[in-house]
């Protein structure tokens, strides 16, 4: 009996998130004409493909009990590197894309090493990474670099029909592939299990003989890679590289992951939840666009309120599962 | 204590000496128009808001928490302050005191909000304060209606731009807050309570400390410090900008605290270390501008300095780099610190 209850309470944040999304979609559909359409729904994916990819990487970091503040800057840096290599160095996309992807991966790897080997706080190390990546952007160029290249325009403007006159973009497909891969890794691979174990208790993971050091470094490398991939998708979306791109995105990402039901203490949560979290942030924006008269700052207030609701919900669940069973295994 | 403050002071001195290398008059302090002027005074004056926020942040971090909302509180406080005196002119001091009262009220309220979330509902500090960080800036923009509000009222601009005894007035505010914080935490048992809550809230509660109220109190103090910083900032530029006022202050403040030797894991805190940490960040910014390095590199330099300071403070790093003999010494030292 306890087991059934525990399973329910574990899924509750995710169910609540999905429920909230449906409620908001119905609310929008009733209030605004033209809101209820498949394309509006698909646009959520098109406009937030990059955010989904970052959120997936961030989910692993938060599951392990860490935090990555550098994601927004790495997106900016990747867009800058891609733009500068394409426009200034005139390199072919075959070289540009892998090089740009390496940027975040290497940065993530270095941050992971610092966190693991020198026992520094993830918060501080990724904060330094954030400063560094933003600074490097400005070293490349202070101005925005507009990309004018066949490959990038192709990636940006190609519409893939999905029936009924609706379409998605190539970025959405990339994002979905990342999500599927991440779900597989999180739930069916050794690495995924290690991440959950690490978030549950680093001490126990160490005593169990799990490769804590390797896992930790890999987590930040994966997050860095995801940020860079998101940076590429963002570059397709904006068709430019700029040092101010994705300013403050790290907090949106953390908000999406939290709204998606992942505990910030680590150890519990789902990749799928983060995707729904991103969609909720997206639908808030859409509602505000449809409303027309609401100013953009209401977005911030709405996200803040939602965060509050979900955090309190999480607390209630954790408190309940603690009273239900005394063992540590609850999350 | 000595080992914790040693590296920050060395780094601060190095940064200041680098300045001397580029500008022979860096340490000169002159009297101009009846005020003391000079680069050092300038660093103190411009660093005042960061110093204030960092002092508040130190106590929060000592309880194993973190206050991400301070930047938004600065924006809100600035918006409320500027809003209150926006219509005022002349010499009447009533609007000034109304503004100060409102700002203090609002900042205490934000502190209570964060404190209740953390201490009563039991939300992780980083998440609890994230709410205010996201929503607060929206509220600040709501107050100013998204505009940059300009103030034409001299008593208000005195807070951040005025002088007292030939020194900038803001320095006195910082000194007063620092004095109050030091007295409360070092001359009363309060500091010990905060440290014990930061080390183990459950054990502190069992030993009779009201850890919930201690937590609530540090967040209120942090909110108050941020509010006053917002007042100084908005008064300094005689305007309120809901969008950009206090942007990234929370991160700078956390850095100042960490550079000052207070661990993000809570426990022992060092107010003087924080002051030095905040001065390092401020002098770094000033140096980068005065040496003529392109401001773009500012962030890169900052990142590198942060990493160096943090690495120097990491026992693991010292063990690995300085090796055998020093390792034993550091171990002993760090043991001594944790016991004291």
């Amino acid at each position: 009996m306890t087991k059934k209850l525990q399973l329910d309470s574990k899924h509750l944040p995710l169910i609540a998130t999905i429920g909230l999304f449906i409620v908001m979609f119905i609310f929008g559909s009733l209030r605004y004409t033209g809101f209820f359409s498949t394309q509006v729904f698909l646009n959520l994916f098109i406009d937030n493909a990059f955010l989904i990819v970052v959120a997936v990487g961030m989910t692993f970091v938060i599951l392990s009990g860490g935090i990555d503040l550098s994601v927004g800057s790495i997106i900016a840096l990747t867009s800058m590197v891609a733009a500068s290599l394409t426009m200034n160095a005139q390199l072919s996309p075959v070289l540009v894309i892998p090089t740009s992807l390496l940027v975040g991966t290497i940065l993530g790897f270095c941050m992971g090493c610092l966190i693991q080997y020198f026992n520094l706080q993830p918060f501080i190390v990724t904060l330094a990474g954030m400063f560094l990546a933003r600074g490097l952007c400005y070293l490349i160029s202070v101005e925005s670099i507009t990309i004018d290249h066949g490959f990038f325009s192709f990636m940006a403007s190609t519409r893939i029909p999905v029936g009924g006159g609706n379409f998605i973009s190539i970025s959405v497909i990339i994002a979905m592939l990342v999500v599927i891969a991440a779900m597989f890794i999180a739930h069916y691979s050794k690495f995924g299990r290690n991440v959950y174990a690490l978030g549950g208790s680093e001490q126990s993971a160490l005593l169990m003989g799990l490769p804590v050091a390797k896992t930790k470094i890999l987590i930040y490398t994966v997050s860095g890679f995801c940020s860079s991939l998101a940076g590429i998708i963002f570059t397709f979306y904006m068709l430019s590289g700029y040092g101010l791109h994705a300013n403050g995105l790290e907090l949106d990402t953390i908000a999406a992951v939290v709204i998606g039901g992942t505990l910030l203490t680590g150890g519990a949560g789902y990749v799928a939840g983060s995707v729904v979290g991103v969609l909720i942030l997206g639908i808030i924006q859409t509602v505000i666009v449809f409303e027309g008269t609401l100013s953009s700052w209401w977005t911030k207030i709405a996200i803040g309120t939602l965060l509050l609701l979900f955090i309190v919900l999480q607390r209630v669940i954790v408190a309940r599962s603690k009273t239900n069973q005394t063992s540590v295994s609850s999350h | 204590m000595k080992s914790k403050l040693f590296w920050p002071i060395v780094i601060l001195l190095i940064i200041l000496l680098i300045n001397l290398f580029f500008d022979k008059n860096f340490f000169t302090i002159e009297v101009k128009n009846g005020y003391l002027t000079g680069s050092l005074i300038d660093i103190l004056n411009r660093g005042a808001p960061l110093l204030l926020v960092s002092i508040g942040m130190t106590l929060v971090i000592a309880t194993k928490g973190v206050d991400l909302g301070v930047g938004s509180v600065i924006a809100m406080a600035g918006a409320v302050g500027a809003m209150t005196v926006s219509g005022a002119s002349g010499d009447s001091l009533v609007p000034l005191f109304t503004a100060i009262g409102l700002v203090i009220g609002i900042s205490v309220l934000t502190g209570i909000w964060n404190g209740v979330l953390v201490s009563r509902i039991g939300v992780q500090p980083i998440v609890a304060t994230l709410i205010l960080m996201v929503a607060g800036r929206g509220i600040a923009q709501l107050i100013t209606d998204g505009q940059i509000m300009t103030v034409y009222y001299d008593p208000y601009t005195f807070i951040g731009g005025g002088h007292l005894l030939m020194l900038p007035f803001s320095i006195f505010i910082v000194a007063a807050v620092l004095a109050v914080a030091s007295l409360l935490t070092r001359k009363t048992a309060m500091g010990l309570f905060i440290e014990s809550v930061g080390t183990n809230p459950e054990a502190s509660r069992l030993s009779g400390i009201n850890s919930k109220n201690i937590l609530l109190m540090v967040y209120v103090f942090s909110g108050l410090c941020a509010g006053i910083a917002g007042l100084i900032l908005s008064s300094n530029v005689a305007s309120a900008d809901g969008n950009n006022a206090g942007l990234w202050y929370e991160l700078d403040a956390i850095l100042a605290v960490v550079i000052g030797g207070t661990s993000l894991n809570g426990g022992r805190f060092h107010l003087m270390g924080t002051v030095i940490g905040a001065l390092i960040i401020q002098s770094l910014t000033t140096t980068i501008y005065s040496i003529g390095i392109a401001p773009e590199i500012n962030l890169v330099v900052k990142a590198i300095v942060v990493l160096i300071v943090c690495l120097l403070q990491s026992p693991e790093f010292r063990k690995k780099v300085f090796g055998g003999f020093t390792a034993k010494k550091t171990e002993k030292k760090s043991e001594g610190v944790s016991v004291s």
Side-chain angles (χ1 to χ4, degrees), chain B residues 131-201:
Chain B
I131 298 173
L132 203 61
M133 177 177 189
V134 178
R137 211 158 273 285
I139 296 171
Q141 283 168 324
L142 205 64
I143 297 171
T144 58
D145 209 19
Q147 308 287 314
I148 296 176
M149 199 176 286
T150 317
V151 175
Y152 306 96
Y153 175 57
D154 291 340
Y156 190 73
T157 46
F158 178 79
I159 304 173
H163 288 77
L164 186 71
L165 300 173
M166 296 167 75
L167 283 169
F169 184 60
S170 51
I171 295 180
F172 289 93
I173 301 179
V174 176
V177 171
L178 181 64
V180 168
S182 312
L183 282 177
L184 276 179
T185 56
R186 290 294 171 235
K187 294 293 166 198
T188 73
M190 192 69 89
L192 208 60
F193 288 171
I194 292 174
E195 285 176 353
S196 89
V197 169
T199 316
N200 189 338

Side-chain angles (χ1 to χ4, degrees), chain B:
Chain B
M1 182 87 194
K2 205 174 160 194
S3 72
K4 287 272 179 192
L5 280 184
F6 178 70
W7 284 112
I9 291 178
V10 168
I11 301 263
L12 180 61
L13 287 179
I14 290 175
I15 293 174
L16 292 178
L17 285 175
I18 289 175
N19 272 296
L20 191 65
F21 186 71
F22 284 93
D23 175 12
K24 295 271 177 298
N25 301 322
F26 186 73
F27 286 102
T28 342
I29 293 173
E30 297 170 2
V31 180
K32 256 185 207 158
N33 304 328
Y35 308 133
L36 289 174
T37 53
S39 304
L40 292 181
I41 304 271
D42 208 41
I43 289 175
L44 276 179
N45 189 18
R46 286 188 196 282
L50 181 61
L51 277 163
L52 277 173
V53 174
S54 309
I55 292 169
M57 187 72 85
T58 311
L59 298 190
V60 174
I61 289 182
T63 65
K64 211 176 185 171
V66 72
D67 189 351
L68 292 181
V70 288
S72 295
V73 174
I74 288 178
M76 280 195 277
V80 169
M83 181 83 171
T84 317
V85 298
S86 64
S89 57
D91 294 330
S92 160
L93 286 179
V94 179
L96 176 69
F97 288 119
T98 322
I100 293 177
L102 274 176
V103 165
I104 288 178
I106 290 229
S107 46
V108 166
L109 217 61
T110 59
I112 291 177
W113 165 267
N114 283 334
V116 165
L117 278 180
V118 172
S119 68
R120 296 311 196 274
I121 305 181
V123 181
Q124 243 196 320
I126 187 169
V127 193
T129 54
L130 184 67
I131 298 173
L132 203 61
M133 177 177 189
V134 178
R137 211 158 273 285
I139 296 171
Q141 283 168 324
L142 205 64
I143 297 171
T144 58
D145 209 19
Q147 308 287 314
I148 296 176
M149 199 176 286
T150 317
V151 175
Y152 306 96
Y153 175 57
D154 291 340
Y156 190 73
T157 46
F158 178 79
I159 304 173
H163 288 77
L164 186 71
L165 300 173
M166 296 167 75
L167 283 169
F169 184 60
S170 51
I171 295 180
F172 289 93
I173 301 179
V174 176
V177 171
L178 181 64
V180 168
S182 312
L183 282 177
L184 276 179
T185 56
R186 290 294 171 235
K187 294 293 166 198
T188 73
M190 192 69 89
L192 208 60
F193 288 171
I194 292 174
E195 285 176 353
S196 89
V197 169
T199 316
N200 189 338
E202 190 56 22
S204 324
R205 194 185 62 80
L206 291 174
S207 62
I209 297 172
N210 192 336
S211 32
K212 288 183 175 176
N213 281 352
I214 297 275
L215 277 178
L216 183 65
M217 199 202 66
V218 294
Y219 283 95
V220 170
F221 182 67
S222 170
L224 188 62
C225 287
I228 301 173
L231 206 59
I232 293 179
L233 265 178
S234 84
S235 142
N236 212 338
V237 292
S239 67
D241 178 359
N243 235 338
N244 297 314
L247 204 59
W248 305 131
Y249 256 74
E250 51 281 329
L251 301 178
D252 275 353
I254 294 167
L255 280 184
V257 175
V258 173
I259 291 176
T262 303
S263 160
L264 277 168
N265 285 325
R268 194 113 175 86
F269 65 91
H270 311 272
L271 279 174
M272 277 327 286
T274 299
V275 169
I276 292 167
L279 287 177
I280 287 180
I281 293 176
Q282 190 58 44
S283 355
L284 200 62
T285 317
T286 313
T287 306
I288 288 166
Y289 284 114
S290 66
I291 289 183
I293 299 178
E296 302 94 72
I297 306 176
N298 191 332
L299 285 170
V300 177
V301 177
K302 213 174 192 175
I304 293 169
V305 172
V306 167
L307 272 181
I308 292 175
V309 177
C310 287
L311 281 177
L312 283 175
Q313 287 178 349
S314 149
E316 280 83 357
F317 178 80
R318 284 188 284 196
K319 218 179 282 175
K320 273 169 195 155
V321 173
F322 302 122
F325 174 71
T326 346
K328 275 181 197 156
K329 238 169 81 184
T330 6
E331 232 169 12
K332 258 186 197 162
K333 260 185 190 170
S334 60
E335 246 173 31
V337 166
S338 62
V339 168
S340 69

Side-chain angles (χ1 to χ4, degrees), chain A residues 163-195:
Chain A
N166 302 307
F167 61 87
I168 52 171
S169 63
I170 298 177
S171 306
V172 176
I173 301 206
I174 301 175
M176 285 304 112
L177 287 177
V178 169
V179 170
I180 292 166
M183 282 165 92
F184 180 78
I185 291 171
H187 302 299
Y188 299 103
S189 78
K190 243 185 222 165
F191 171 69
R193 276 198 296 279
N194 291 348
V195 172

Side-chain angles (χ1 to χ4, degrees), chain A residues 195-214:
Chain A
V195 172
Y196 276 95
L198 193 60
S201 164
E202 189 173 337
Q203 208 69 40
S204 312
L206 210 59
L207 290 172
M208 269 155 70
L210 296 179
V212 168
K214 206 176 105 190

